[in-house]
Amino acid sequence: MTIRVPLRGLLGVALATSTAAVLAQPADQALIERGEYLTRAADCLACHVTEGGEPYAGGLPVKLPFGTLYTTNITPDKETGIGNWSDDEFVEAMQQGVGPDGKHYYPAFPYTSYTLMPREDILAIKAYLFSLEPVSQPNRENDIDFPFNQRWGIALWNLLFLDDERFEPNPEQTGQWNRGAYLVEGPGHCGECHTPRNLLQAKSGPKALGGATIQGWAAWNITGDQQSGIGGWPDEALARYLATGAAPGYGLAGGPMAEVVNHSLRYLTPEDIQAMVVYLKSVPGQPADVERPQNKPLANEPPAETEHPLGQKLFADTCASCHQWDGSGRQSDYAALRGLRTLNDPQGLNLVQVILKGDALYGPTGHHLMPAFDRHFNDREVSALSNFMLSHFGSQPGDLTPETIAERRQEKH
């Protein structure tokens, strides 16, 4: 089912700014501020920056099944960035995935979602990017296997999978629902991660938002399914998760989702967050293998018996002081473990990633860090700790082996 969203009203001023305040500002300043909001809604920074690098200067490696892409410099530098791009060229890149040189971008750049954005919103983003300080940083060459390095093939891919249409309203829905649909399906491009892909790496429409694996992380089912999606989440919990990354008893953002919260969602207005909640809760449910576990009655003390004694010892030594034996978390909702799908996944995809690489969330109460243990624990210890946590907090015991952990250490994301 195609969802269309209104251009008028819904795609107007994204910031909740009064008419009087807008009139009091120069027109270009108001456009830049609107563009900054939309740039954050589109989560551009998460991809176009490297750790310790300059914002929007690109260079981030994106691992794909057929090679590695490197994101580009989108600062207004005229030599290495987009400083010479015209309005039409910028719009064409965002809506059709074609650069000023006529080359097609790989759809890892989510133009298949950005295409739903109207010209005025895209040009607001351009106005903001062009207001930034130029950064001279040449773009890295992609490392793509043949035949996928032949960009002419993407033109055929676009004929099959790119609609190149803007949102129109669904007259049977409310303005709030339509606003949420625009944010989720357009600039927010949630389906790019949370929808599985077919053999040609296009999103599988019948399974939209039903969950997928991306760069070694589980992007969970975010449809209205009551068990494996977010249909059973209270609206307040889902809104809190989107805005802060933490909803005790329901979800805690990690990996790529933590980056979305850090760079994008936490900047959205409460009205826009609520609109996204309304839309997501209405998406037809898709079943999935991993459900949110029921909160087991756990005492805040070590269990008397366990099948994973090494894992229990490691949890006692390094984890219990923050997370607590009952998973309630000490002094911070960001340390709560109960009710997380991460701890009900027998493959332990996100659990192992977080143990090895750590995590970071920028919440309203400060910067919350989970340290990385990749250098502290060997493969046997990581598998033992993961299996203990899965059996203790979840309802599906894990069967991770040291060999599995060794393979995941070798994966480059």
Side-chain angles (χ1 to χ4, degrees):
M1 179 179 69
T2 300
I3 305 299
R4 304 195 180 280
V5 180
L7 297 179
R8 181 174 298 175
L10 296 175
L11 308 184
V13 179
L15 293 169
T17 310
S18 68
T19 302
V22 172
L23 293 176
Q25 304 176 66
D28 56 346
Q29 183 59 33
L31 180 63
I32 289 171
E33 291 181 3
R34 177 168 166 247
E36 180 179 15
Y37 185 88
L38 288 167
T39 301
R40 284 174 168 165
D43 200 21
C44 301
L45 182 58
C47 286
H48 291 275
V49 69
T50 58
E51 185 175 357
E54 293 291 335
Y56 301 106
L60 183 74
V62 180
K63 185 72 174 179
L64 299 173
F66 46 84
T68 301
L69 298 174
Y70 295 92
T71 60
T72 58
N73 184 342
I74 58 171
T75 73
D77 184 71
K78 292 183 180 295
E79 299 297 327
T80 63
I82 61 172
N84 288 319
W85 289 26
S86 69
D87 286 357
D88 287 344
E89 288 170 340
F90 190 81
V91 171
E92 184 177 22
M94 291 283 283
Q95 292 181 343
Q96 300 176 33
V98 180
D101 56 2
K103 290 184 179 179
H104 289 268
Y105 294 121
Y106 290 96
F109 167 53
Y111 63 86
T112 51
S113 294
Y114 292 158
T115 192
L116 301 169
M117 300 175 67
R119 181 182 178 90
E120 55 266 32
D121 277 6
I122 291 174
L123 290 182
I125 290 176
K126 179 175 180 285
Y128 169 67
L129 293 176
F130 272 59
S131 75
L132 302 175
E133 190 72 23
V135 177
S136 178
Q137 178 173 298
N139 295 312
R140 295 186 61 177
E141 290 292 329
N142 296 322
D143 182 16
I144 302 297
D145 299 332
F146 182 85
F148 300 101
N149 59 355
Q150 305 299 304
R151 292 192 183 229
W152 60 264
I154 302 176
L156 176 60
W157 190 94
N158 286 344
L159 288 175
L160 295 172
F161 303 114
L162 175 63
D163 290 336
D164 191 16
E165 295 179 351
R166 269 30 89 206
F167 267 142
E168 296 176 3
N170 183 336
E172 298 181 358
Q173 297 290 348
T174 65
Q176 183 184 47
W177 184 95
N178 280 305
R179 175 64 177 173
Y182 171 66
L183 291 168
V184 168
E185 304 290 353
H189 60 279
C190 303
E192 300 290 342
C193 289
H194 290 275
T195 298
R197 295 182 179 269
N198 60 26
L199 292 176
L200 295 178
Q201 294 301 300
K203 291 181 293 184
S204 177
K207 298 180 180 179
L209 303 179
T213 301
I214 177 169
Q215 298 188 34
W217 290 83
W220 300 121
N221 181 345
I222 55 171
T223 70
D225 186 85
Q226 291 287 320
Q227 299 299 323
S228 57
I230 45 86
W233 292 36
D235 287 359
E236 297 79 9
L238 183 55
R240 183 175 178 180
Y241 176 79
L242 293 175
T244 70
Y250 293 92
L252 181 66
M257 189 61 200
E259 294 177 357
V260 173
V261 174
N262 292 339
H263 295 304
S264 176
L265 293 175
R266 70 188 180 112
Y267 294 102
L268 300 191
T269 63
E271 293 79 11
D272 276 349
I273 290 292
Q274 189 58 41
M276 294 175 69
V277 169
V278 169
Y279 173 68
L280 287 171
K281 294 290 286 288
S282 75
V283 175
Q286 295 280 351
D289 294 334
V290 180
E291 300 180 356
R292 187 173 67 89
Q294 299 298 317
N295 287 328
K296 298 189 292 187
L298 296 174
N300 195 20
E301 58 186 24
E305 296 182 0
T306 179
E307 295 181 4
H308 308 284
L310 174 59
Q312 178 171 322
K313 180 182 184 303
L314 292 169
F315 187 87
D317 292 343
T318 60
C319 308
S321 60
C322 286
H323 296 293
Q324 307 270 57
W325 289 101
D326 62 356
S328 60
R330 185 186 297 275
Q331 298 179 341
S332 173
D333 292 338
Y334 291 85
L337 298 177
R338 301 184 66 189
L340 305 185
R341 280 181 284 189
T342 294
L343 291 163
N344 208 41
D345 173 14
Q347 297 185 67
L349 287 176
N350 293 358
L351 176 60
V352 171
Q353 291 272 29
V354 170
I355 292 173
L356 291 176
K357 301 177 181 179
D359 202 19
L361 272 171
Y362 309 137
T365 59
H367 191 176
H368 302 268
L369 284 174
M370 161 71 186
F373 288 93
D374 56 339
R375 297 183 180 180
H376 301 278
F377 293 160
N378 60 33
D379 297 337
R380 176 170 171 264
E381 290 169 330
V382 173
S383 63
L385 175 59
S386 300
N387 287 332
F388 169 75
M389 294 179 68
L390 290 169
S391 65
H392 183 65
F393 294 106
S395 54
Q396 299 190 61
D399 56 359
L400 295 166
T401 66
E403 291 74 22
T404 300
I405 305 303
E407 291 175 1
R408 295 191 189 177
R409 283 187 193 268
Q410 297 302 315
E411 294 175 350
K412 296 180 181 180
H413 305 306

